[in-house]
Amino acid sequence: MDKIRNFCIIAHIDHGKSTLADRMLEITQTVDVRQMENQVLDDMDLEKERGITIKSHAIQMDYKGYTLNLIDTPGHVDFSYEVSRSIAACEGAVLVVDATQGVQAQTISNLYMAIEHDLEIIPVLNKCDMDNAMPERVEDEIVDLLGCKREEILRCSAKTGEGVPEILDAIVERIPAPKGDPKAPLQCLVFDSVFNSFRGIIAYFKVVNGTMHTGDQVRFVNTGKEYDADEIGILKLDMSPRKEISAGNVGYIISGIKTSTEVKVGDTITHVARPCDKAIDGFEEAKPMVFAGVYPIESEDYEDLRASLEKLQLNDASLTFQPESSMALGFGFRCGFLGLLHMEIIQERLDREFDMDVITTVPNVSYNVYTKDGGMIEVHNPAGMPDLTEIDRIEEPYIRASVITTADYIGPIMTLCLGKRGELVKQEYISGNRMELLFDMPLGEIVIDFYDKLKSISKGYASFDWHMNGFRPSNLVKLDILLNGEQVDALSTLTHRDNAVDFGRRMCEKLKELLPRQQFDIAIQAAIGAKIIARETVKQVRKDVLAKCYGGDVSRKRKLLEKQKRGKKRMKQIGNVEVPQKAFLAVLKLD
């Protein structure tokens, strides 16, 4: 065990984690020259196309007689749950900072997560070969942040490979060996799992205590299910079978599990014959922040969609879903995501990996509604809202947002945050002309387009990170859309009272363009409770009944018009308005 080192690479998005991992694999000759490519660990097409890491990837390397288990982690704020799981399986972390950009928001939040788990931190300055690198200034930032000595910071260029062997040496010297007893009862922590259509579910685990052999009978503590370990092994670029894996190491187990609900990330594996006393403390459950309805386009695909979501959940434990139905869209699922990029990636993966075409409703957050009789209901979508007369108060989730930017963009960023009902908590200079702004903001204002707007007004220079900061009472209203007095549940939204009139008016105008004309007038109304706040009318299609009258008495014309009027009135009573599919999609893109 003295020869094992478990470490992860953490950094802000685009600071060169995956490139550094590529160089390490090359130097330790873990990957054959023929198999080598950029971002070799990012095995999803989506990751390569977008140049981001979505999943954390584990791989084992051999270096100077030591076994190094590397976990490459994502850098985007939406995938921080992946980072927290990787950190739980390691004893040390390589903190990569881009020498051209300096410390950014996600660097700080990932670093705090690592410090909470008592990991040994190795600070690394990447991209030192670039013309616009500022190594001295960024080193000052790292010293301020970590309180380390200047000589502990390593410089490298992940692209050229310069300085990478020194990082590997530092990992061996500075990171402690894993603690654990190979002779104790078996305890393994499951930190990830994937679905393979031929071999069932493959669980990735870290052995904390004990030793596992091929053919052992094992039990998953949380679910209480027992299996035979048909194959165990370590993770090279492909899976590499072994006869035994002992404490401190990271490996995989295949035991022919077919049902996706039987494997939970954070579960403990132990022997049936000699079980451990207690399960390992897993990770806290991921708390979804953004909720949206996901519906199949064809209603008969409902069961296929359920199976696809279950398989995706294996590979991405932060996705949550539960069945729901809507009058307009039929049966579907209410899904919880960690953010908008997460939602977009899940939608894309459903399409690519499972060939599922889905419609997603307006993303929203969950609210706590307190009723007059003292109860509390958690509301995820507007349809679950109790009657206005029963509500005492509504509380919405607030976040503490940290924005790091250069002084040039402070004006526009402040205007954006205050326009989203944010409150400035503090602002301070980090170094040079870089500032950190802290805001308290409602999560509901962030989920639609905040991140995109922040990036565009700061020309991509501002970095953004946030964490939950409790619930606060808020003046929220449920905005309903009525067509001829009938409510359309899929178009209802929860919004702040100040924004309601403007939002309602824009929705009515949009629907007026999209609804086909009928034989009768269609009144499109936006309402809060019983009060109508906006209205548009789609005019009826009329036949010219006076075409056959030429000359003659006016009473003949009047008689025909009266007859038509009576017919229209009767038609309006029995006619119903079908909302076309594109109307739902257009309302989603209103912003």
Side-chain angles (χ1 to χ4, degrees):
M1 275 180 71
D2 301 343
K3 298 282 186 185
I4 298 175
R5 300 286 182 272
N6 298 322
F7 70 100
C8 57
I9 304 182
I10 54 177
H12 189 79
I13 188 166
D14 255 2
H15 280 204
K17 297 173 297 300
S18 299
T19 315
L20 180 60
D22 288 352
R23 290 301 84 75
M24 287 180 172
L25 297 178
E26 262 179 13
I27 289 168
T28 56
Q29 295 175 340
T30 307
V31 179
D32 202 317
V33 179
R34 287 170 311 183
Q35 291 176 302
M36 196 61 210
E37 50 180 85
N38 286 342
Q39 285 175 271
V40 69
L41 289 181
D42 294 348
D43 46 13
M44 255 187 266
D45 296 342
L46 255 181
E47 294 180 308
K48 288 197 163 60
E49 282 168 27
R50 291 178 176 234
I52 57 175
T53 306
I54 294 167
K55 289 287 301 164
S56 41
H57 302 274
I59 192 163
Q60 194 174 88
M61 307 181 283
D62 297 313
Y63 180 71
K64 294 186 177 174
Y66 286 84
T67 300
L68 307 182
N69 288 312
L70 152 71
I71 303 181
D72 178 28
T73 62
H76 196 281
V77 61
D78 278 14
F79 303 112
S80 51
Y81 183 62
E82 291 285 321
V83 183
S84 73
R85 295 204 325 236
S86 312
I87 285 175
C90 296
E91 280 80 39
V94 174
L95 178 76
V96 180
V97 182
D98 184 335
T100 62
Q101 303 210 29
V103 171
Q104 290 192 286
Q106 199 57 29
T107 317
I108 297 175
S109 75
N110 286 345
L111 173 69
Y112 287 160
M113 223 187 287
I115 291 173
E116 268 172 41
H117 282 78
D118 295 333
L119 298 199
E120 180 63 40
I121 310 283
I122 299 178
V124 169
L125 215 56
N126 189 18
K127 306 192 187 179
C128 289
D129 58 328
M130 290 182 72
D131 299 337
N132 58 342
M134 318 166 280
E136 270 75 24
R137 208 167 100 194
V138 179
E139 271 181 4
D140 290 341
E141 289 180 23
I142 295 175
V143 170
D144 287 348
L145 185 65
L146 269 176
C148 61
K149 295 190 181 70
R150 223 187 162 85
E151 53 274 14
E152 287 176 17
I153 302 173
L154 302 172
R155 293 188 182 186
C156 79
S157 160
K159 204 165 206 166
T160 61
E162 175 196 338
V164 179
E166 286 79 359
I167 298 175
L168 289 166
D169 292 335
I171 288 165
V172 169
E173 288 157 21
R174 296 191 206 170
I175 292 179
K179 300 178 182 66
D181 178 3
K183 306 242 178 344
L186 181 70
Q187 268 187 319
C188 308
L189 178 69
V190 178
F191 66 88
D192 207 353
S193 54
V194 291
F195 181 80
N196 181 313
S197 43
F198 301 107
R199 312 204 61 180
I201 290 157
I202 304 168
Y204 297 161
F205 59 85
K206 177 194 179 184
V207 187
V208 179
N209 284 313
T211 305
M212 188 190 286
H213 299 84
T214 307
D216 283 354
Q217 265 210 313
V218 295
R219 175 186 297 141
F220 282 71
V221 177
N222 258 356
T223 55
K225 303 271 187 188
E226 296 177 4
Y227 307 100
D228 291 330
D230 300 337
E231 182 185 304
I232 59 173
I234 56 168
L235 298 158
K236 293 283 191 183
L237 195 56
D238 297 315
M239 292 182 283
S240 166
R242 292 285 184 272
K243 285 276 178 273
E244 65 168 46
I245 300 177
S246 63
N249 237 321
V250 174
Y252 69 90
I253 175 170
I254 299 176
S255 49
I257 307 172
K258 291 285 185 284
T259 322
S260 47
T261 49
E262 291 177 18
V263 176
K264 290 267 188 296
V265 166
D267 200 351
T268 305
I269 307 176
T270 185
H271 278 135
V272 173
R274 190 178 161 218
C276 55
D277 307 334
K278 62 180 190 9
I280 308 165
D281 294 335
F283 327 98
E284 66 245 40
E285 289 284 307
K287 202 161 164 34
M289 296 300 165
V290 176
F291 294 87
V294 173
Y295 293 88
I297 286 185
E298 299 297 334
S299 51
E300 58 262 27
D301 292 343
Y302 174 71
E303 284 303 326
D304 295 347
L305 180 59
R306 181 196 294 272
S308 308
L309 283 170
E310 280 176 359
K311 286 174 189 168
L312 256 187
Q313 200 176 29
L314 270 181
N315 196 242
D316 183 350
S318 52
L319 169 70
T320 59
F321 63 91
Q322 62 198 54
E324 74 163 4
S325 65
S326 143
M327 297 278 287
L329 299 170
F331 290 104
F333 294 94
R334 185 107 203 124
C335 296
F337 308 97
L338 294 183
L340 278 191
L341 178 72
H342 187 207
M343 174 171 135
E344 202 181 311
I345 295 290
I346 293 286
Q347 225 175 325
E348 189 83 5
R349 285 181 71 182
L350 279 173
D351 182 32
R352 291 185 183 204
E353 294 172 28
F354 304 100
D355 211 16
M356 294 297 308
D357 277 341
V358 293
I359 297 166
T360 314
T361 62
V362 186
N364 57 22
V365 298
S366 64
Y367 299 96
N368 290 346
V369 177
Y370 291 86
T371 53
K372 287 186 175 160
D373 56 10
M376 196 273 280
I377 309 167
E378 203 172 279
V379 174
H380 295 311
N381 64 345
M385 210 52 176
D387 198 61
L388 264 178
T389 52
E390 297 168 21
I391 297 174
D392 179 37
R393 68 183 192 281
I394 304 176
E395 291 189 351
E396 64 174 332
Y398 262 69
I399 60 168
R400 173 64 55 90
S402 150
V403 180
I404 294 181
T405 175
T406 51
D408 320 345
Y409 303 113
I410 281 184
I413 287 174
M414 284 230 187
T415 312
L416 172 70
C417 294
L418 297 174
K420 296 274 186 190
R421 298 191 285 133
E423 297 162 16
L424 182 65
V425 180
K426 70 168 184 178
Q427 60 185 74
E428 59 182 354
Y429 277 97
I430 304 176
S431 66
N433 73 337
R434 290 163 62 77
M435 289 191 77
E436 180 177 29
L437 303 170
L438 286 180
F439 286 93
D440 279 348
M441 300 175 76
L443 182 60
E445 295 282 346
I446 296 237
V447 296
I448 301 282
D449 57 351
F450 177 80
Y451 198 69
D452 299 343
K453 281 187 176 165
L454 180 72
K455 283 291 179 202
S456 58
I457 62 177
S458 67
K459 301 191 171 62
Y461 280 113
S463 65
F464 172 66
D465 181 49
W466 55 269
H467 56 263
M468 280 303 287
N469 197 19
F471 282 76
R472 296 192 193 176
S474 183
N475 191 0
L476 294 169
V477 290
K478 180 183 173 196
L479 183 70
D480 291 318
I481 298 294
L482 311 175
L483 297 180
N484 279 349
E486 294 280 322
Q487 190 180 323
V488 185
D489 68 337
L491 296 177
S492 298
T493 46
L494 284 172
T495 180
H496 195 266
R497 193 178 287 276
D498 298 350
N499 307 340
V501 175
D502 180 49
F503 189 65
R505 190 172 295 134
R506 277 163 45 214
M507 265 174 110
C508 289
E509 285 165 4
K510 193 79 183 168
L511 283 170
K512 184 181 177 183
E513 293 168 23
L514 294 165
L515 288 180
R517 287 172 70 187
Q518 305 280 358
Q519 296 275 319
F520 49 89
D521 276 355
I522 305 172
I524 306 167
Q525 295 165 313
I528 298 173
K531 183 183 175 194
I532 306 293
I533 54 170
R535 168 174 173 142
E536 294 286 338
T537 309
V538 179
K539 294 308 274 179
Q540 61 194 9
V541 183
R542 296 181 74 125
K543 180 182 168 192
D544 186 2
V545 288
L546 303 181
K548 59 186 178 186
C549 298
Y550 46 93
D553 190 34
V554 74
S555 61
R556 285 182 61 210
K557 293 182 182 176
R558 199 170 291 134
K559 183 178 151 193
L560 288 169
L561 286 169
E562 285 295 327
K563 188 179 171 189
Q564 184 187 36
K565 193 174 170 185
R566 284 196 304 275
K568 293 278 179 197
K569 191 175 173 185
R570 194 166 60 248
M571 207 182 273
K572 188 172 183 175
Q573 285 166 354
I574 58 167
N576 63 344
V577 185
E578 285 290 317
V579 183
Q581 202 67 64
K582 64 180 182 199
F584 293 113
L585 300 176
V587 172
L588 295 191
K589 299 191 176 74
L590 207 60
D591 277 335

